[in-house]
Amino acid sequence: MSQITLPTGAVLRARIKKANSAEKRADIGWLGWIIIALGSAAALFFILGPLIMLLTTAFRGPQDLLPFEDGAQWTLANLAAVYLDKSLYTSVLPNTLIFTAGSVTVTFVVAFILAWLVERTDLPMRNGIYTIILFPLLVPGIVLSITWIFLLAPNTGWINVIIRSFLRLGESGPLNIFSMGGMILAQGIGLVPFVFLLLSAALRSMNPSLEEASNASGASPFTTIRKVTLPVLLPGLLAPLILATLITLEQFETPLVIGFPARINVFSTRIFFELNPDTDLPAYGRAAAVALPFLICGIALLMIYNHLIRRAESFVTVTGKGFRPMRFPLGRWRIPAIAFVAVYALFGAVLPGFVLVWASLFGYALPTFDTLSTISFAGYIDLFNNPKFWLAARNTFIVAGASAIIVTSIGVILAWTILRTQLAVRWLLDFISFLSLGIPAVIAGLASMLLYLSLPIGIYGTVLVLVLAYSYRMAVSTRLTRAALMQVHAELEEASAASGAQWFTTIRRVVLPLLTPSLVASFTLLFIIGFREFTIPTILQSPDNSVLSVMMWQAFQAGKTTQAAAVGTMIVLFVIPIIFGLRRLVLARDGRD
Amino acid sequence: MLKVEGLERSYATPDGLVQAVKGVSFEIPSGSFYTLLGPSGCGKTTTLRCVAGLEQPTAGRITIDGTVVAQPDEDIFVPAYKRDIGMVFQSYAIWPHMNVLENVSYPLVVRKPRPPRDEIKDRAMEALRLVGMDALANRSATKLSGGQQQRVAFARAIVRNPKILLLDEPLSNLDAKLREQMRYELQELVARVAITTLYVTHDQSEALAMSDTIAVISEGLISQAGPPRAVYDRPANEFVAGFLGGANFLTATVTEDDGNNGLAVFDGGAGSVRVALPAGIHTGDRVNIVFRPEDAALHFAANGTGNQVHASISRLSFQGGLTECHLKVGATLVRSMLHPSVEAKVGTEAWIDLNPARCTVYPARETSRL
Ligand SMILES: Nc1ncnc2c1ncn2[C@@H]1O[C@H](COP(=O)(O)OP(=O)(O)O)[C@@H](O)[C@H]1O
Ligand SMILES: [Mg+2]
């Protein structure tokens, strides 16, 4: 497969069977069994541990006690408190639906147009545009959300100030980010890069001779699009749509940063506020009760996604790979197309980046020539003199790096077990690792909180608890590694055994070297996900385990705008070297440059 | 009837302009089977796609049944969907979201005006029957084997009874055994539908077995065109001789010449042959003598005719029905086919009898061994 192998393939029973048809019973020795047992146990623990804790908590009370504290008992009071409350049906539920539907629509329409332009038309400078579009993927959602406030806050937002100066309006408005529309816009634009990545891969995987065969059968270009292109692409396009829905549904940053001031609550923020009420003690049981349907929705969406991906993959396997992509000449649509890309790049990448850097140097006022003289590095100087910043930076790298290493390692063990053994648990492992994709970060955070508060091992509030909580995202590495391992013929391993190598030697000298590219890809992706992570460390925060994204949010909340912008800028600066690594990886595999 | 004149096609690539087709001309009479044969990358597919209308020529003219469909200097270009063609793609391009019947019906469904439903179904089923796939009409396209996909692709190409049938290496994706079987099947099918056919392949045995006319292409130009036998027996140049049935090449010097025939003496005094000389070759010229392995009969004594080459056997490989024999003439390798009853031993001397009528003479450039 030369296309980007995304971390999100389907559970493909048929293919697994085929890979195993050799019916080999590898003699893997006691070392092999220990490694497999440890890997499987770790995967089950990281994913099922928190979930089981969550489920039981929903049925344990009273609500301010941890589920297994002295005095806690079985109860339905949490469910009753949550589901008999009218506000759930009059505000949280409709808000969540409108927010999700609206954002996903914005994301999908913009991402689809961009992907189509880049992959299927003769748009100029496609490779450069591809990179620009993907750039915001690396910037934490919390940074993007805050830059939207800089741009569209009703009083001081740059765009509002500019509009007012032209239209001679009053003190405030006309646009207001603190509204449902604002949330939808910020969230919708923010998710474009990820969906663009998936859609462009889907568009690229289509064999152009399918369309040519339609042409040669006498169908006009329009008929061809309607009867061949769209139907063939449909599963590959719907799958990212479903995934985008899943991600938006679990979104926490935008609802917290933009929705909270606007008093718009969705499911994720509702869970958070159950845990951090203004006056009361945390209501663990109620938070868990709110989380249940949210989790079920996530898993249902995941199943639909799995079905679509399987269909899309069966389409690709029948038709093989084409090599002459048919690009539509844009003709007189060239200018509008370039304008569309430019407007997206402006609002999706350039303006947020600019306003962030500007605010860190000049404070949060609209730039004029006069402000240029007020440049001040105080924000950075303060930051660099603040040991908390260095602690947070260190924590961020440690947590992202350690969890990426843990998950990638377990992913290899799972992938090998699933493809190369006959163990009965491999179905469970496959299913569970895929399931992890459907667990919202809010729930992962909540569940880890419950688990590690209850376990008497004294790690709550440390960096270690973050590493463990992050490590549930097994789907990414298992999928990537499994796809790569499927390309490694089992005979390559058998040849090593036939040369006298023991199992572990074979793994070390044959399997791992062959898997290196996908291991690096898996690590990079997980590292970026960990680096961006905001939800889990917010829920599990303590003075010792603060990470950069949380620090930025705290500074912003405390009104230290310049400092918040400086932290945000530093995050982006830390992340930029990573983009080059990723770009090289993704593009090299893709045969782009 | 298809007529292609001076067809050229070039691509702008990062490494500069690639001239894929450099001026190809040919004509296919109605109902005839015409094959473009050549090594991979020589421009066969590009030529075929220009005829299909999937690719715009950069120069030349293409005429289908008296209508000019492409002529860049007149700004004429009829797109593929307006040409009356049927095409089988190298990857078959079976649409995965349709079943077998829907795939085959498609060219009729998109026809304007659309024929009645019953007629579409009848004709599609008839095409499927022709390829022996009528029993699988409702099978999903994602559940077909390679051979079945190939048949469906063929049925789809002929269902609307096009003026021209275009086939781009339709057998190359099949495994060896199936390929042979499908070759016979395809041959029969094409004969039955009697549509003017342009066939592209790099496999000489397919080309020789199936075609009315073969055009051997090299680097974007037709090297030689003609009936299979003529091209095989009288290759116009060394490229054709080498590409079509592994040929032997020996360098020689012409020592006598009576205007038509001459005596060619092989280098190193290994022997000689009295052959017909092409125009322009005279005494003293260096030449290449080309002959086929099946025309290189072995003997173990000199026969005195003068049409012989002295060689030594360097390798024997028994292949069942015959034995392939490698010989050294000086430093040059020559292959010969022996009946298995002939007893030969590696290392022994032998004489290769040459039939002058089946030797072809080319002026020697640098010795090119193909
Ligand atoms: N779209 C294209 N862009 C650039 N070069 C091409 C393109 N299509 C074909 N070529 C080049 O043109 C030459 C002929 O290609 P093709 O017609 O596919 O060869 P064949 O079918 O004989 O193997 C090759 O060198 C190929 O690399
Ligand atoms: Mg070709």
Side-chain angles (χ1 to χ4, degrees):
Chain A
M1 278 206 293
S2 66
Q3 87 206 65
I4 309 174
T5 317
L6 289 156
T8 46
V11 181
L12 275 171
R13 275 152 208 275
R15 283 230 220 148
I16 296 178
K17 273 201 193 117
K18 214 160 151 195
N20 269 314
S21 59
E23 277 295 325
K24 66 191 263 320
R25 284 185 207 291
D27 180 15
I28 64 176
W30 57 270
L31 185 59
W33 289 116
I34 289 179
I35 291 176
I36 288 182
L38 283 180
S40 310
L44 294 178
F45 173 74
F46 283 133
I47 299 166
L48 288 187
L51 283 189
I52 290 172
M53 200 66 198
L54 181 81
L55 286 178
T56 40
T57 306
F59 297 96
R60 297 286 285 186
Q63 45 102 349
D64 55 343
L65 286 188
L66 283 167
F68 297 106
E69 254 181 272
D70 288 340
Q73 49 196 294
W74 295 105
T75 173
L76 290 175
N78 299 320
L79 292 181
V82 170
Y83 293 102
L84 295 180
D85 174 7
K86 265 221 309 264
S87 76
L88 184 74
Y89 306 101
T90 55
S91 84
V92 175
L93 197 58
N95 281 342
T96 308
L97 290 180
I98 296 171
F99 170 63
T100 306
S103 310
V104 169
T105 309
V106 172
T107 301
F108 197 78
V109 169
V110 175
F112 181 78
I113 295 175
L114 290 173
W116 187 272
L117 289 174
V118 169
E119 296 297 336
R120 297 306 308 268
T121 70
D122 60 352
L123 188 75
M125 300 180 299
R126 291 186 294 263
N127 282 351
I129 290 172
Y130 189 81
T131 312
I132 293 176
I133 294 175
L134 289 187
F135 180 73
L137 203 54
L138 299 166
V139 182
I142 187 78
V143 178
L144 288 177
S145 296
I146 290 176
T147 60
W148 279 106
I149 295 181
F150 288 164
L151 289 175
L152 281 175
N155 296 322
T156 46
W158 288 12
I159 294 177
N160 276 325
V161 174
I162 293 171
I163 295 179
R164 283 203 300 270
S165 74
F166 276 111
L167 299 182
R168 297 174 193 289
L169 294 174
E171 291 285 284
S172 166
L175 303 174
N176 182 3
I177 190 71
F178 299 112
S179 62
M180 182 55 96
M183 272 171 83
I184 288 177
L185 183 73
Q187 173 58 29
I189 298 287
L191 198 55
V192 164
F194 179 68
V195 174
F196 166 84
L197 187 66
L198 296 175
L199 287 178
S200 61
L203 289 180
R204 218 174 310 140
S205 73
M206 171 149 179
N207 180 349
S209 67
L210 292 178
E211 288 167 324
E212 291 173 352
S214 171
N215 264 313
S217 299
S220 65
F222 180 69
T223 310
T224 299
I225 289 188
R226 199 164 50 85
K227 295 192 105 136
V228 172
T229 315
L230 287 180
V232 171
L233 286 176
L234 197 63
L237 299 184
L238 284 182
L241 181 70
I242 297 294
L243 206 57
T245 311
L246 183 66
I247 293 172
T248 307
L249 194 64
E250 72 157 81
Q251 255 304 309
F252 176 64
E253 286 94 328
T254 315
L256 179 73
V257 176
I258 298 175
F260 177 60
R263 304 192 182 286
I264 300 173
N265 260 349
V266 296
F267 259 101
S268 58
T269 39
R270 172 75 191 268
I271 293 174
F272 182 71
F273 292 123
E274 292 288 1
L275 289 176
N276 298 280
D278 294 338
T279 51
D280 258 334
L281 287 167
Y284 301 114
R286 283 214 304 261
V290 179
L292 284 185
F294 194 34
L295 183 66
I296 292 168
C297 265
I299 291 172
L301 284 170
L302 199 62
M303 294 297 137
I304 302 174
Y305 172 74
N306 185 44
H307 170 78
L308 290 167
I309 284 288
R310 272 170 83 160
R311 196 165 159 76
E313 288 186 0
S314 81
F315 278 18
V316 172
T317 33
V318 200
T319 56
K321 292 288 288 177
F323 60 100
R324 287 175 206 252
M326 198 161 84
R327 292 190 179 273
F328 290 93
L330 282 170
R332 60 204 168 85
W333 288 94
R334 197 178 161 92
I335 301 296
I338 293 174
F340 183 85
V341 173
V343 169
Y344 168 75
L346 185 67
F347 286 96
V350 178
L351 214 43
F354 181 72
V355 77
L356 189 69
V357 176
W358 186 273
S360 73
L361 293 175
F362 299 94
Y364 168 47
L366 186 71
T368 61
F369 284 109
D370 302 340
T371 42
L372 273 179
S373 60
T374 68
I375 185 164
S376 149
F377 291 96
Y380 290 98
I381 293 167
D382 287 352
L383 201 61
F384 295 153
N385 286 328
N386 184 351
K388 278 188 186 160
F389 169 73
W390 295 110
L391 180 70
R394 200 197 62 159
N395 287 347
T396 309
F397 276 98
I398 289 179
V399 176
S403 65
I405 289 174
I406 291 176
V407 174
T408 302
S409 315
I410 297 177
V412 182
I413 300 174
L414 291 192
W416 197 87
T417 311
I418 291 167
L419 285 182
R420 297 284 204 258
T421 72
Q422 309 290 318
L423 293 176
V425 289
R426 66 207 168 97
W427 299 124
L428 182 67
L429 295 176
D430 198 24
F431 179 74
I432 292 290
S433 73
F434 186 55
L435 195 68
S436 66
L437 200 61
I439 302 176
V442 181
I443 292 189
L446 164 64
S448 300
M449 174 187 224
L450 295 168
L451 182 66
Y452 297 113
L453 274 176
S454 299
L455 285 178
I457 48 176
I459 59 165
Y460 192 77
T462 64
V463 173
L464 183 61
V465 82
L466 291 186
V467 173
L468 296 179
Y470 281 27
S471 296
Y472 78 98
R473 290 202 172 91
M474 230 40 96
V476 176
S477 70
T478 312
R479 299 293 124 173
L480 267 178
T481 318
R482 207 181 73 179
L485 189 58
M486 218 141 24
Q487 312 290 316
V488 177
H489 204 289
E491 283 180 1
L492 292 175
E493 290 172 48
E494 288 161 357
S496 167
S499 310
Q502 301 211 324
W503 178 79
F504 190 69
T505 312
T506 302
I507 297 290
R508 196 165 53 83
R509 306 190 70 122
V510 176
V511 178
L512 291 182
L514 287 172
L515 293 182
T516 304
S518 78
L519 296 185
V520 174
S522 160
F523 175 84
T524 314
L525 264 167
L526 286 161
F527 186 84
I528 290 168
I529 293 175
F531 210 92
R532 294 175 43 121
E533 186 60 58
F534 170 74
T535 313
I536 294 177
T538 303
I539 292 178
L540 294 175
Q541 65 179 291
S542 77
D544 293 333
N545 69 7
S546 171
V547 295
L548 288 174
S549 57
V550 173
M551 186 179 178
M552 178 184 183
W553 168 238
Q554 284 169 340
F556 183 77
Q557 247 187 332
K560 299 183 204 156
T561 319
T562 310
Q563 196 190 39
V567 177
T569 309
M570 289 310 296
I571 295 179
V572 176
L573 286 184
F574 282 137
V575 144
I576 281 179
I578 306 173
I579 194 178
F580 288 108
L582 181 79
R583 194 181 122 91
R584 286 238 319 262
L585 258 169
V586 171
L587 296 191
R589 280 201 188 190
D590 227 23
R592 264 168 187 275
D593 12 52
Chain B
M1 198 209 61
L2 171 70
K3 196 164 160 190
V4 173
E5 296 158 277
L7 180 71
E8 290 179 26
R9 165 78 217 200
S10 45
Y11 296 103
T13 68
D15 320 322
L17 207 66
V18 174
Q19 184 95 17
V21 179
K22 298 176 184 162
V24 162
S25 303
F26 58 89
E27 197 172 330
I28 313 180
S30 288
S32 180
F33 191 113
Y34 195 96
T35 298
L36 300 177
L37 173 69
S40 146
C42 69
K44 308 176 300 281
T45 298
T46 308
T47 307
L48 189 87
R49 289 167 58 85
C50 286
V51 172
L54 296 169
E55 203 84 63
Q56 301 211 18
T58 34
R61 176 160 65 182
I62 300 173
T63 316
I64 296 177
D65 246 10
T67 314
V68 176
V69 291
Q71 187 173 359
D73 55 8
E74 296 278 320
D75 261 342
I76 299 174
F77 181 75
V78 179
Y81 70 96
K82 290 185 181 154
R83 299 187 187 183
D84 194 2
I85 54 170
M87 181 159 174
V88 176
F89 288 77
Q90 194 168 1
S91 65
Y92 307 136
I94 302 296
W95 299 301
H97 61 296
M98 301 180 190
N99 67 21
V100 167
L101 183 63
E102 286 164 345
N103 261 285
V104 176
S105 308
Y106 187 88
L108 301 174
V109 170
V110 298
R111 173 176 278 189
K112 286 189 180 116
R114 184 193 293 211
R117 201 177 286 268
D118 291 346
E119 187 193 326
I120 292 180
K121 173 137 197 226
D122 290 348
R123 290 182 59 180
M125 285 309 290
E126 193 190 314
L128 281 173
R129 211 167 297 127
L130 192 69
V131 297
M133 287 286 293
D134 44 332
L136 300 181
N138 292 316
R139 179 162 295 192
S140 153
T142 53
K143 299 195 170 65
L144 296 177
S145 71
Q148 290 170 332
Q149 288 189 44
Q150 208 259 346
R151 281 172 229 229
V152 173
F154 188 82
R156 182 177 71 188
I158 56 160
V159 71
R160 61 172 169 156
N161 199 12
K163 291 211 180 79
I164 295 179
L165 184 58
L166 303 168
L167 305 153
D168 189 2
E169 311 223 11
L171 303 178
S172 66
N173 269 343
L174 305 175
D175 48 50
K177 195 135 191 206
L178 189 59
R179 192 180 316 164
E180 197 161 320
Q181 182 199 333
M182 289 304 293
R183 186 171 93 204
Y184 294 126
E185 231 172 79
L186 196 60
Q187 205 171 347
E188 239 169 71
L189 286 171
V190 169
R192 220 176 315 161
V193 296
I195 301 173
T196 311
T197 302
L198 180 57
Y199 187 91
V200 158
T201 184
H202 65 267
D203 182 317
Q204 47 140 336
S205 53
E206 277 171 31
L208 291 171
M210 299 167 79
S211 325
D212 294 320
T213 310
I214 291 181
V216 181
I217 300 199
S218 157
E219 293 177 5
L221 283 169
I222 293 186
S223 279
Q224 186 181 5
R229 265 215 93 95
V231 177
Y232 187 85
D233 288 346
R234 293 257 147 246
N237 55 44
E238 291 169 65
F239 172 79
V240 177
F243 190 73
L244 213 56
N248 293 312
F249 294 83
L250 286 175
T251 46
T253 309
V254 179
T255 56
E256 292 169 21
D257 133 52
D258 66 4
N260 296 321
N261 292 320
L263 183 69
V265 175
F266 294 111
D267 291 1
S272 62
V273 63
R274 193 168 285 280
V275 284
L277 294 180
I281 295 210
H282 306 288
T283 303
D285 287 346
R286 305 266 302 143
V287 291
N288 269 335
I289 310 285
V290 180
F291 55 97
R292 307 253 174 218
E294 65 269 24
D295 294 328
L298 276 201
H299 286 279
F300 297 97
N303 65 4
T305 61
N307 292 330
Q308 268 193 332
V309 194
H310 187 231
S312 71
I313 299 176
S314 62
R315 180 189 294 164
L316 290 165
S317 86
F318 176 59
Q319 294 178 351
L322 45 80
T323 300
E324 184 179 347
C325 179
H326 286 196
L327 303 116
K328 280 276 160 83
V329 175
T332 314
L333 179 78
V334 170
R335 293 186 311 135
S336 150
M337 297 301 176
L338 298 182
H339 192 268
S341 63
V342 177
E343 286 196 21
K345 261 215 216 110
V346 172
T348 51
E349 315 256 294
W351 279 262
I352 302 169
D353 281 5
L354 294 175
N355 177 356
R358 297 191 63 82
C359 290
T360 318
V361 181
Y362 301 105
R365 275 160 279 137
E366 65 283 19
T367 356
S368 51
R369 299 265 331 274
L370 295 155

